[in-house]
Every structure is written in structure tokens, then in C-alpha cells.
């Protein structure tokens, strides 16, 4: 009988995979970024990957990490909670195991990154945003 991993273990694995994907010299990776200064935050991005090489496009990719179905459903109930960051990012992704997120539930302008193999993330749904 297999033991289901805890939400904290899933989150740690997702964070490790995000670091693997966006940890190169061309990226600046930031965690738990508020949309304001000091105590004036209305929303947060779990992670922001900022491309710092002009030849790669200087894109900003925002991410929400989801470790449980319940947490994902709460996100769907209030998708505007990080609207400020969504508007500032070139791409916005949910990062979660495939068992947590159903593709049909993802808002049109969002994408989905899912674990692949031991270390990678793959695009299950590409972000399609108009900037």
C-alpha cells in the first residue's frame, strides 16, 4: 500500500522542479512575491521567473503552485486574488500534479505546468495571453 505524499512534500517537489526549470543564468527566480510594498499587498505570486537576457525576450512568468485539489478549487473560487501580478506577467501558470488540476478548469489565459520524470516540468497547457 502506497502512502500519499503530504501537501508540504508536494509543494517542496514542485518548488524544486521550478528551480530546475528556471534556475539558469538567464533567469531571476523570486518566491512569494506580494503585489505591493510593506503591508499593502492585495495578492501574491507563489513564484516569478524573470528572464534577464534580452536575447531570450526579458519575459516575466508568474506561477501559482498547487499541492491539493482543495487548494486548487479555492483558487478557482477567487481567480482575481493575484490579478495584479497576472496583468504584469507575460505568462501565468498553475504548477501542479495532473491529479489535482483538470485541464478544462483552467481559465483561458492561464497555462499548466505538470511534473514529468524525476526533475522536470512539462507544459500540459500553454499560456495564451494577450499583452
Amino acid at each position: 500500500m502506497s502512502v500519499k505524499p503530504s501537501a508540504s512534500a508536494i509543494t517542496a517537489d514542485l518548488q524544486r522542479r521550478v528551480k530546475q526549470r528556471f534556475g539558469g543564468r538567464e533567469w531571476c527566480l523570486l518566491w512569494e512575491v506580494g503585489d505591493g510594498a510593506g503591508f499593502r499587498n492585495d495578492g501574491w505570486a507563489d513564484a516569478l521567473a524573470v528572464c534577464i537576457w534580452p536575447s531570450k525576450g526579458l519575459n516575466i512568468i508568474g506561477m501559482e503552485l498547487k499541492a491539493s485539489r482543495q487548494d486548487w478549487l479555492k483558487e478557482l473560487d477567487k481567480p482575481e486574488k493575484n490579478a495584479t501580478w497576472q496583468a504584469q506577467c507575460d505568462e501565468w501558470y498553475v504548477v501542479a500534479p495532473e491529479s489535482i488540476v483538470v485541464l478544462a478548469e483552467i481559465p483561458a489565459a492561464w497555462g499548466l505546468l505538470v511534473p514529468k520524470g524525476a526533475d522536470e516540468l512539462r507544459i500540459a497547457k500553454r499560456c495564451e495571453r494577450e499583452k
Side-chain angles (χ1 to χ4, degrees):
M1 182 171 159
S2 65
V3 176
K4 182 178 174 185
S6 68
S8 61
I10 294 170
T11 299
D13 180 61
L14 294 175
Q15 288 171 331
R16 182 182 58 78
R17 291 169 186 269
V18 168
K19 286 178 195 174
Q20 178 77 19
R21 185 176 180 115
F22 299 104
R25 296 183 314 175
E26 68 267 21
W27 293 98
C28 176
L29 185 58
L30 307 165
W31 298 100
E32 298 294 330
V33 184
D35 64 4
F39 293 105
R40 295 188 175 135
N41 291 297
D42 293 321
W44 298 83
D46 287 342
L48 292 177
V50 182
C51 184
I52 56 175
W53 284 11
S55 63
K56 301 277 186 178
L58 298 174
N59 291 330
I60 301 172
I61 300 174
M63 291 166 269
E64 272 296 308
L65 280 64
K66 297 298 168 195
S68 72
R69 178 81 178 149
Q70 180 182 358
D71 191 21
W72 168 241
L73 294 175
K74 280 176 41 182
E75 185 78 23
L76 287 177
D77 284 342
K78 196 174 177 189
E80 71 283 353
K81 79 176 179 94
N82 43 36
T84 301
W85 272 124
Q86 290 178 41
Q88 299 302 315
C89 291
D90 298 294
E91 299 176 44
W92 187 261
Y93 285 93
V94 174
V95 182
E98 288 179 288
S99 61
I100 291 173
V101 177
V102 176
L103 279 175
E105 297 171 336
I106 297 177
W110 297 14
L112 175 63
L113 294 171
V114 297
K116 176 186 176 191
D119 296 317
E120 297 177 42
L121 288 172
R122 74 169 174 83
I123 297 173
K125 179 187 181 284
R126 183 160 300 279
C127 177
E128 298 179 21
R129 299 177 57 93
E130 293 182 23
K131 280 292 276 185

Coordinates of all heavy atoms in Angstrom, one line a residue, residues 43-46 62-83 85-86 92-96 100-101 105-107 110-111:
G43 N -2.5 40.7 -3.2 CA -2.3 39.4 -3.8 C -0.8 39.0 -3.9 O 0.0 39.8 -3.6
W44 N -0.6 37.8 -4.1 CA 0.7 37.2 -4.2 C 0.9 36.3 -5.4 O 0.0 35.7 -5.8 CB 1.0 36.4 -2.9 CG 0.9 37.1 -1.7 CD1 -0.2 37.5 -1.0 CD2 2.0 37.7 -0.9 NE1 0.1 38.2 0.1 CE2 1.4 38.4 0.2 CE3 3.4 37.7 -1.1 CZ2 2.2 39.0 1.1 CZ3 4.1 38.4 -0.2 CH2 3.6 39.0 0.9
A45 N 2.1 36.2 -5.8 CA 2.5 35.2 -6.8 C 3.4 34.2 -6.0 O 4.3 34.6 -5.3 CB 3.3 35.8 -8.0
D46 N 3.1 32.9 -6.2 CA 4.0 31.9 -5.5 C 5.4 32.0 -6.0 O 6.3 31.8 -5.2 CB 3.4 30.5 -5.6 CG 2.1 30.3 -4.8 OD1 1.9 31.1 -3.9 OD2 1.4 29.3 -5.1
G62 N 4.7 34.2 -14.2 CA 4.2 34.1 -12.9 C 3.6 32.7 -12.7 O 3.1 32.1 -13.6
M63 N 3.7 32.2 -11.4 CA 3.3 30.8 -11.2 C 2.5 30.8 -9.8 O 2.9 31.4 -8.9 CB 4.5 29.9 -11.1 CG 5.1 29.7 -12.5 SD 6.7 28.9 -12.4 CE 7.8 30.4 -12.3
E64 N 1.5 29.9 -9.8 CA 0.8 29.5 -8.6 C 1.0 28.0 -8.4 O 0.7 27.3 -9.3 CB -0.7 29.8 -8.7 CG -1.2 31.1 -8.3 CD -1.0 31.4 -6.9 OE1 -1.4 30.6 -6.0 OE2 -0.4 32.5 -6.6
L65 N 1.6 27.6 -7.3 CA 1.8 26.2 -7.0 C 0.7 25.6 -6.2 O 0.2 26.3 -5.3 CB 3.1 26.0 -6.3 CG 4.4 26.1 -7.1 CD1 4.7 27.4 -7.7 CD2 5.6 25.7 -6.2
K66 N 0.2 24.5 -6.7 CA -1.0 23.9 -6.0 C -0.6 22.4 -5.7 O -0.2 21.6 -6.5 CB -2.2 23.9 -6.9 CG -2.7 25.3 -7.3 CD -3.1 26.0 -6.0 CE -3.3 27.5 -6.2 NZ -3.4 28.2 -5.0
A67 N -0.8 22.1 -4.4 CA -0.4 20.8 -3.8 C -1.6 20.0 -3.4 O -1.4 18.8 -3.0 CB 0.5 21.0 -2.6
S68 N -2.8 20.5 -3.6 CA -4.0 19.8 -3.2 C -5.2 20.2 -4.1 O -5.2 21.4 -4.6 CB -4.4 19.9 -1.7 OG -4.9 21.2 -1.5
R69 N -6.1 19.3 -4.3 CA -7.3 19.6 -5.1 C -8.1 20.7 -4.4 O -8.6 21.6 -5.0 CB -8.1 18.3 -5.2 CG -9.4 18.5 -5.9 CD -9.2 18.5 -7.4 NE -10.6 18.7 -8.1 CZ -10.7 19.3 -9.2 NH1 -9.7 19.7 -9.9 NH2 -11.9 19.4 -9.7
Q70 N -8.2 20.7 -3.0 CA -8.9 21.7 -2.3 C -8.3 23.1 -2.5 O -9.0 24.1 -2.7 CB -8.9 21.3 -0.8 CG -9.6 22.3 0.1 CD -9.5 22.0 1.5 OE1 -9.0 20.9 1.9 NE2 -10.1 22.8 2.4
D71 N -7.0 23.2 -2.5 CA -6.3 24.5 -2.7 C -6.6 25.0 -4.1 O -6.8 26.2 -4.3 CB -4.8 24.3 -2.5 CG -4.1 25.7 -2.4 OD1 -4.7 26.7 -2.2 OD2 -2.9 25.7 -2.6
W72 N -6.6 24.1 -5.1 CA -6.9 24.5 -6.5 C -8.3 25.0 -6.6 O -8.6 26.0 -7.2 CB -6.6 23.3 -7.4 CG -7.2 23.5 -8.8 CD1 -8.1 22.7 -9.4 CD2 -6.8 24.5 -9.7 NE1 -8.4 23.2 -10.7 CE2 -7.6 24.3 -10.9 CE3 -5.9 25.6 -9.7 CZ2 -7.5 25.2 -12.0 CZ3 -5.8 26.4 -10.8 CH2 -6.6 26.2 -11.9
L73 N -9.3 24.3 -6.0 CA -10.7 24.7 -6.0 C -10.8 26.1 -5.4 O -11.6 26.9 -5.9 CB -11.6 23.7 -5.4 CG -11.6 22.4 -6.2 CD1 -12.5 21.3 -5.4 CD2 -12.1 22.5 -7.6
K74 N -10.1 26.4 -4.3 CA -10.1 27.7 -3.7 C -9.6 28.8 -4.6 O -10.1 29.9 -4.7 CB -9.3 27.7 -2.4 CG -10.0 27.1 -1.2 CD -9.2 27.1 0.1 CE -8.3 28.3 0.3 NZ -7.5 28.1 1.5
E75 N -8.6 28.4 -5.4 CA -8.0 29.3 -6.4 C -9.1 29.7 -7.5 O -9.2 30.8 -7.9 CB -6.8 28.7 -7.1 CG -6.1 29.6 -8.0 CD -5.2 30.6 -7.3 OE1 -4.8 30.4 -6.2 OE2 -4.9 31.6 -8.0
L76 N -9.8 28.6 -7.9 CA -10.9 28.9 -8.9 C -12.0 29.7 -8.4 O -12.6 30.5 -9.1 CB -11.4 27.5 -9.4 CG -10.5 26.7 -10.3 CD1 -11.2 25.4 -10.6 CD2 -10.2 27.4 -11.5
D77 N -12.3 29.6 -7.1 CA -13.3 30.5 -6.5 C -12.9 31.9 -6.5 O -13.8 32.8 -6.4 CB -13.6 30.0 -5.1 CG -14.5 28.7 -5.0 OD1 -15.1 28.4 -6.1 OD2 -14.5 28.1 -4.0
K78 N -11.6 32.2 -6.5 CA -11.2 33.6 -6.4 C -10.0 33.8 -7.3 O -8.9 34.1 -6.8 CB -10.8 34.0 -4.9 CG -10.7 35.4 -4.7 CD -10.5 35.7 -3.2 CE -10.3 37.2 -3.0 NZ -9.9 37.5 -1.6
P79 N -10.2 33.7 -8.6 CA -9.0 33.8 -9.5 C -8.4 35.2 -9.6 O -7.3 35.3 -10.1 CB -9.6 33.3 -10.9 CG -11.1 33.6 -10.8 CD -11.4 33.4 -9.3
E80 N -9.2 36.2 -9.1 CA -8.7 37.5 -9.2 C -7.7 37.9 -8.1 O -7.2 39.0 -8.0 CB -9.9 38.5 -9.2 CG -10.6 38.7 -7.9 CD -11.6 37.5 -7.6 OE1 -11.8 36.6 -8.4 OE2 -12.1 37.5 -6.5
K81 N -7.5 37.0 -7.1 CA -6.7 37.3 -6.0 C -5.2 37.7 -6.3 O -4.6 38.4 -5.6 CB -6.7 36.1 -5.0 CG -5.7 35.0 -5.3 CD -5.7 33.9 -4.2 CE -4.8 32.8 -4.6 NZ -3.5 32.9 -4.0
N82 N -4.8 37.3 -7.5 CA -3.4 37.7 -7.9 C -3.5 38.4 -9.2 O -2.6 38.3 -10.0 CB -2.4 36.6 -7.9 CG -3.0 35.3 -8.5 OD1 -3.8 35.4 -9.4 ND2 -2.7 34.2 -7.9
A83 N -4.6 39.1 -9.5 CA -4.8 39.8 -10.8 C -3.8 40.8 -11.1 O -3.4 41.0 -12.3 CB -6.2 40.4 -10.8
W85 N -0.6 40.7 -10.4 CA 0.6 40.0 -11.0 C 0.3 39.4 -12.3 O 1.1 39.5 -13.2 CB 1.1 38.9 -10.0 CG 2.1 39.5 -9.1 CD1 2.1 39.4 -7.7 CD2 3.3 40.2 -9.4 NE1 3.1 40.1 -7.2 CE2 3.9 40.6 -8.2 CE3 3.9 40.6 -10.6 CZ2 5.1 41.3 -8.1 CZ3 5.1 41.3 -10.5 CH2 5.7 41.7 -9.3
Q86 N -0.9 38.9 -12.5 CA -1.3 38.3 -13.8 C -1.2 39.3 -14.9 O -0.7 39.1 -16.0 CB -2.7 37.7 -13.7 CG -2.8 36.5 -12.9 CD -4.3 36.0 -12.8 OE1 -5.0 36.0 -13.8 NE2 -4.7 35.6 -11.6
W92 N 1.3 33.2 -17.3 CA 0.8 32.9 -16.0 C 0.5 31.4 -16.0 O -0.3 30.9 -16.8 CB -0.4 33.7 -15.6 CG -0.8 33.5 -14.2 CD1 -1.8 32.7 -13.7 CD2 -0.3 34.1 -13.0 NE1 -1.9 32.7 -12.4 CE2 -0.9 33.6 -11.9 CE3 0.8 35.0 -12.8 CZ2 -0.6 34.0 -10.6 CZ3 1.1 35.4 -11.6 CH2 0.4 34.9 -10.5
Y93 N 1.1 30.6 -15.0 CA 0.9 29.2 -15.0 C 0.5 28.7 -13.6 O 1.0 29.2 -12.6 CB 2.2 28.5 -15.4 CG 2.5 28.5 -16.8 CD1 3.3 29.5 -17.4 CD2 2.0 27.6 -17.7 CE1 3.6 29.6 -18.7 CE2 2.2 27.6 -19.1 CZ 3.0 28.6 -19.6 OH 3.3 28.6 -20.9
V94 N -0.3 27.7 -13.6 CA -0.5 26.9 -12.4 C 0.5 25.7 -12.5 O 0.7 25.1 -13.6 CB -1.9 26.3 -12.4 CG1 -2.1 25.3 -11.2 CG2 -3.0 27.4 -12.4
V95 N 1.2 25.4 -11.4 CA 2.1 24.3 -11.4 C 1.6 23.3 -10.4 O 1.4 23.6 -9.2 CB 3.5 24.8 -10.9 CG1 4.5 23.7 -10.9 CG2 4.0 26.0 -11.7
A96 N 1.2 22.2 -10.9 CA 0.6 21.2 -10.0 C 0.6 19.8 -10.7 O 0.7 19.7 -11.9 CB -0.9 21.5 -9.8
I100 N -4.4 16.9 -9.6 CA -5.0 18.0 -8.9 C -5.8 18.9 -9.8 O -6.9 19.4 -9.4 CB -3.9 18.8 -8.1 CG1 -3.4 17.9 -7.0 CG2 -4.4 20.1 -7.6 CD1 -2.2 18.5 -6.3
V101 N -5.4 19.1 -11.0 CA -6.0 20.1 -11.9 C -6.5 19.4 -13.1 O -5.8 18.7 -13.7 CB -5.0 21.2 -12.3 CG1 -5.6 22.2 -13.3 CG2 -4.4 21.9 -11.1
E105 N -10.7 23.1 -16.4 CA -11.0 24.0 -15.3 C -10.1 25.3 -15.4 O -10.4 26.3 -14.8 CB -10.8 23.4 -14.0 CG -11.7 22.2 -13.7 CD -11.3 21.5 -12.4 OE1 -10.1 21.6 -12.0 OE2 -12.1 20.9 -11.8
I106 N -9.0 25.2 -16.2 CA -8.0 26.3 -16.2 C -8.6 27.5 -16.9 O -9.1 27.3 -18.1 CB -6.7 25.8 -16.8 CG1 -6.1 24.7 -15.9 CG2 -5.7 27.0 -16.9 CD1 -4.9 24.1 -16.4
P107 N -8.6 28.7 -16.3 CA -9.0 29.9 -17.1 C -8.3 30.0 -18.4 O -7.1 29.6 -18.5 CB -8.6 31.0 -16.1 CG -8.7 30.4 -14.7 CD -8.2 29.0 -15.0
W110 N -4.6 31.2 -18.7 CA -3.6 30.6 -17.8 C -3.0 29.3 -18.5 O -3.7 28.8 -19.4 CB -4.2 30.1 -16.5 CG -4.7 31.2 -15.6 CD1 -4.9 32.5 -15.9 CD2 -5.1 31.1 -14.3 NE1 -5.4 33.2 -14.9 CE2 -5.5 32.3 -13.8 CE3 -5.1 30.0 -13.4 CZ2 -5.9 32.6 -12.5 CZ3 -5.5 30.2 -12.1 CH2 -5.9 31.5 -11.7
G111 N -1.9 28.9 -18.1 CA -1.3 27.6 -18.6 C -1.2 26.7 -17.4 O -1.4 27.0 -16.2

